[in-house]
Amino acid sequence: MKTFAAALFGRRARRRWIHLILGGALAMPYVFVGSVIVGPLLGEDTVLGSLTAQLAAFAVGLPLAAITALFPLTRPMSAAGVRALCDVPGESLADGPARSRTARGRTVAWFTLHLGFGGIISGMSLALPPFAGVLIALPFAAALRGSRVGMPEVFGEGWLLALSPVIGFASLVALAGCAAGAGTLLARWAPELLGPTPADRLAAAEQRAADLAVRNRLARELHDSVGHALSAVTLQASAARRVLDKDPEFVREALTAIEETTRRTVGELDAVLGVLRDGDQTAPTAPAPTLAADLDGLLKRTRVGGLRVRSVVDLGPQGTDALPPMVSREAYRIVQEGLSNALRHAGPDAAVTLRIALEGTDLEILAQNPLPAAGATSRPGGGHGLRGITDRARLLGGTAEAGPVDGTWRLRVRLPLKGPHSPDPKKPMKPQKQQQKHQEPQKPKESA
C-alpha cells in the first residue's frame, strides 16, 4: 500500500505531474487558435464553448504544435524540462538543436505527445478535483443537494448519496493514476525521442577528442618548456657553485644564462596558460619559440650548464628560415626535449652530437649521447618526453625513433616539410642502417 501511494503521490510522481501541467500550459495557445477555427464551423459563439468544441479545438491545435516543434530550440528546451522534472538521466538526452531530419521528426513526436498528454491531464486536473470535492461533501451538506451545481439527479438517491464520498475519492485516485501513468510513459519515451542520434554522438565524440587533443598539447608544452628550463637551471647553478671561487667569469655567464632561461620560460608559460584563460582575449602571450629564431639561444644556454653540444645544421642556402612555421616550432620542441633528456640522464659532462639536416622532402633531427655508465644515477623523469616527441612527429605525419645504438643513446626524428598528407609514395623510408652513411653532410654549418 505504501509503494502504491508513493507511485501515485510521491515526489517523482508530483514532479512529473508538474511537467504534464507545463505541457498543458504550452498547449493552450494552440487550443485557442483551434477554437477560432472550429468555433464558426460548430456554431459556437464563445471561444471555448461546449465539450465537443473544446475537444475539436484541441484536435486542431496539436498539428499546429507539431509544426512549431520544428524550431531548433524545441529539443534543448524539452530536454531541459525532462532533466529537471522527469528524473531521466541527463546523459541519455541530447543537448543541442536537432540537426538531422530523423532528430527533428523525433522532436516533433515528443513535443506533440507532451502537449497532448499535458492538455488532457491539465483538463482533468481542473475538472475532477472540484467534482470530487462536491461528491465527498454531498452527504453532509443538504444545501448542495438542493442547489444547482450541475450534479446528475441520480445522486439524489439514498444509496448513491451514501457512496458519493467513495466515488469522489476514487475520482481523485483515478486522476493521480492517469497523471502517474502519463508521466511514466513520457519519461520512458524521452530517451528515445530526445536522445542523441548517431550524428549527435559523433559530434560529441569529436568535441571530446578535440578537447583531449588541446589538453595533451598543453601538457606537452608545459613538460617541454618548463621541464627543460628546470633541468638547465639546475645544472647551470650546480656548475656555477663548483667553480664559484675559481672562475668568476663562468659564474657570471651561468647566472646570465639562468636569468635568460627563467625569463624566457615565464613568457612561454604565459603563452600556454593564456589558452586556459577562458574569454581572456587581452592577456599578453609570448610567441612560441621556433628553430629558426631560437636554436642558437637554446644551444648557448645548454652549453653553459656544462653539456658539450656539437651541432651540425645542413638546411641549404636559406637555412632554418626556409622551414614551414609549424615544422620549425615542433622541431624546436623536439630538439629542446632531446637536450633535456641528455642533461637529465647522461649528466652535465656528457657530449651530445646534434644534427639537423634535410633528407629529401623531410627534416631529420638526430641527437646522440653516450649511455650512462653502469651504476650511474640519472635525474628522475616521468618518461613523458619521448612520448611527447612521438606525438609531435605524428602530428606532422613524421616518425620518431629512440633507443640505444652501439653504446650511445640515439634519437632520430623525421618531419615532412609538405605536411602529413603529402608524402611521396615513390620514395620509401630508408632503413636505419642505410641512413647512417648519410649522417655527415657535404656542406654543413657546424658549431661546437
Side-chain angles (χ1 to χ4, degrees), residues 351-377:
V352 179
T353 301
L354 175 66
R355 181 175 181 269
I356 304 172
L358 291 178
E359 290 289 338
T361 60
D362 295 343
L363 174 68
E364 183 180 78
I365 301 172
L366 180 65
Q368 290 181 271
N369 58 268
L371 291 172
T377 59

Side-chain angles (χ1 to χ4, degrees), residues 310 312-315 355-359 437-446:
R310 178 178 178 271
V312 177
V313 179
D314 183 17
L315 299 177
R355 181 175 181 269
I356 304 172
L358 291 178
E359 290 289 338
K437 63 182 180 180
H438 297 288
Q439 291 180 9
E440 294 299 329
Q442 296 178 357
K443 295 181 180 180
K445 173 185 176 183
E446 181 174 337

Side-chain angles (χ1 to χ4, degrees), residues 269-281 283-285:
L269 185 61
D270 286 341
V272 175
L273 296 181
V275 181
L276 299 176
R277 299 188 182 104
D278 188 15
D280 188 2
Q281 302 296 333
T285 58

Side-chain angles (χ1 to χ4, degrees), residues 250-401:
F250 177 82
V251 174
R252 186 177 296 107
E253 293 179 0
L255 294 176
T256 302
I258 291 174
E259 180 182 3
E260 293 177 355
T261 301
T262 53
R263 182 184 294 112
R264 185 177 191 84
T265 304
V266 168
E268 295 177 8
L269 185 61
D270 286 341
V272 175
L273 296 181
V275 181
L276 299 176
R277 299 188 182 104
D278 188 15
D280 188 2
Q281 302 296 333
T282 61
T285 58
T290 63
L291 201 66
D294 303 282
L295 178 61
D296 292 338
L298 174 64
L299 296 176
K300 178 182 178 181
R301 293 189 299 271
T302 305
R303 288 171 179 140
V304 171
L307 189 67
R308 292 173 293 164
V309 182
R310 178 178 178 271
S311 63
V312 177
V313 179
D314 183 17
L315 299 177
Q318 295 182 342
T320 54
D321 295 331
L323 298 177
M326 180 174 290
V327 175
S328 186
R329 288 194 299 268
E330 299 301 324
Y332 175 87
R333 291 301 191 193
I334 291 172
V335 172
Q336 184 184 54
E337 181 58 30
L339 295 177
S340 297
N341 285 337
L343 282 170
R344 187 179 299 115
H345 300 292
D349 298 327
V352 179
T353 301
L354 175 66
R355 181 175 181 269
I356 304 172
L358 291 178
E359 290 289 338
T361 60
D362 295 343
L363 174 68
E364 183 180 78
I365 301 172
L366 180 65
Q368 290 181 271
N369 58 268
L371 291 172
T377 59
S378 61
R379 296 180 181 273
H384 301 292
L386 294 178
R387 187 186 308 169
I389 290 176
T390 303
D391 291 341
R392 292 181 186 277
R394 188 181 298 126
L395 177 66
L396 298 178
T399 59
E401 301 174 0

Side-chain angles (χ1 to χ4, degrees), residues 92-369:
S92 64
L93 302 176
D95 293 321
R99 296 179 177 87
S100 64
R101 182 178 301 177
T102 301
R104 287 192 293 268
R106 292 177 179 177
T107 304
V108 168
W110 166 263
F111 194 69
T112 306
L113 288 172
H114 183 204
L115 269 61
F117 282 165
I120 294 172
I121 298 300
S122 296
M124 294 174 62
S125 300
L126 290 174
L128 278 180
F131 175 73
V134 171
L135 288 180
I136 293 171
L138 195 59
F140 312 103
L144 290 177
R145 295 194 296 272
S147 63
R148 300 179 60 184
V149 292
M151 300 296 296
E153 294 182 359
V154 68
F155 280 98
E157 300 290 338
W159 64 273
L160 193 57
L161 185 64
L163 290 177
S164 62
V166 178
I167 297 175
F169 281 114
S171 300
L172 294 178
V173 173
L175 172 60
C178 291
T184 301
L185 286 177
L186 288 181
R188 184 175 300 173
W189 292 337
E192 296 293 333
L193 299 178
L194 296 178
T197 62
D200 295 326
R201 293 189 180 94
L202 179 60
E206 290 176 348
Q207 182 62 41
R208 287 193 296 270
D211 294 340
L212 183 60
V214 171
R215 291 176 55 186
N216 289 338
R217 181 173 64 86
L218 294 178
R220 286 197 304 267
E221 293 293 330
L222 288 175
H223 176 274
D224 292 349
S225 62
V226 178
H228 172 80
L230 292 177
S231 298
V233 166
T234 301
L235 292 175
Q236 289 162 355
S238 176
R241 179 180 57 81
R242 290 196 302 267
V243 297
L244 181 61
D245 298 327
K246 303 177 182 178
D247 193 350
E249 184 62 27
F250 177 82
V251 174
R252 186 177 296 107
E253 293 179 0
L255 294 176
T256 302
I258 291 174
E259 180 182 3
E260 293 177 355
T261 301
T262 53
R263 182 184 294 112
R264 185 177 191 84
T265 304
V266 168
E268 295 177 8
L269 185 61
D270 286 341
V272 175
L273 296 181
V275 181
L276 299 176
R277 299 188 182 104
D278 188 15
D280 188 2
Q281 302 296 333
T282 61
T285 58
T290 63
L291 201 66
D294 303 282
L295 178 61
D296 292 338
L298 174 64
L299 296 176
K300 178 182 178 181
R301 293 189 299 271
T302 305
R303 288 171 179 140
V304 171
L307 189 67
R308 292 173 293 164
V309 182
R310 178 178 178 271
S311 63
V312 177
V313 179
D314 183 17
L315 299 177
Q318 295 182 342
T320 54
D321 295 331
L323 298 177
M326 180 174 290
V327 175
S328 186
R329 288 194 299 268
E330 299 301 324
Y332 175 87
R333 291 301 191 193
I334 291 172
V335 172
Q336 184 184 54
E337 181 58 30
L339 295 177
S340 297
N341 285 337
L343 282 170
R344 187 179 299 115
H345 300 292
D349 298 327
V352 179
T353 301
L354 175 66
R355 181 175 181 269
I356 304 172
L358 291 178
E359 290 289 338
T361 60
D362 295 343
L363 174 68
E364 183 180 78
I365 301 172
L366 180 65
Q368 290 181 271
N369 58 268

